[in-house]
Amino acid sequence: MSMRLAGRTALVTGATSNIGRAIAEAFAREGAYVAVSGRSAERGQEVVDGIRARGGRADFVRADLDGSAAASRALAQEATRVLGGRIDVLVNNAGIYPHATTAATDEKTFDQVYAVNVKAPYFLTAAVAPAMVEAGGGAIINLGSWISRLGIASPLYSSTKGAIETLTRAWAAEFGPQGVRVNAISPGVVLAPTARETRTAEIMMKGTPAGRMGTPEEIANAAVYLAGDDSSFVHGIVLDVDGGRTTAAVIAH
């Protein structure tokens, strides 16, 4: 065990399942004290218990990040308290994925998706980053998506992830000179699909160098890199961890 994050504290949103859970577990494995955040106390405690059983440090902090500045500020304050007074690493992972075409998207759905996927991390970063600056530095990792650059018929979600990737670069310019590194990860198809969705998800990764779906742990490995000192000279990037989906095409012979 390398313990690359020993002595650091981290807040991971949407950490009760899939990618967020894998990131929280990887951070704890590398020595960080992790605030596992999500809506479900039951699932959150399950993640915390698993981390503790393996010798790591974690606590659950419930949050319903509805996009309001108040909800984001409340999470920042409670996580800071739980973690002993500071947050060294923030992972903006929580998000929702609507299954709707443009014409079928009503205004309520549009507002909800932007609230959760863009407004919530915006105001959470606004609450956390200044404290990082005051403490002498920190790292913020946002979760983008490959479909923000390789167009598929999911316009609402894609546009929110495009916004997050743009914010990553803007925040790097704003906070980087003050000691806070801001970067993003753009995962490929790594969801744990239902039986009905498995074939579609697998097909989406055909013709890529990897030729398969990714795992949450593979995204978590990238998050550990961006959170630690190995990436000390890395600012404002969107790291593609997508099996080559957006960069290369493999022609079958």
Side-chain angles (χ1 to χ4, degrees), residues 58-76:
D59 278 295
F60 176 68
V61 181
R62 190 187 180 281
D64 185 2
L65 294 175
D66 59 5
S68 66
S72 291
R73 282 196 297 265
L75 173 57

Side-chain angles (χ1 to χ4, degrees), residues 150 204-211 240 242-251:
L150 183 62
M204 291 171 78
M205 291 303 290
K206 295 288 186 182
T208 66
D240 295 319
D242 63 2
R245 173 74 281 174
T246 58
T247 56
V250 176
I251 307 301

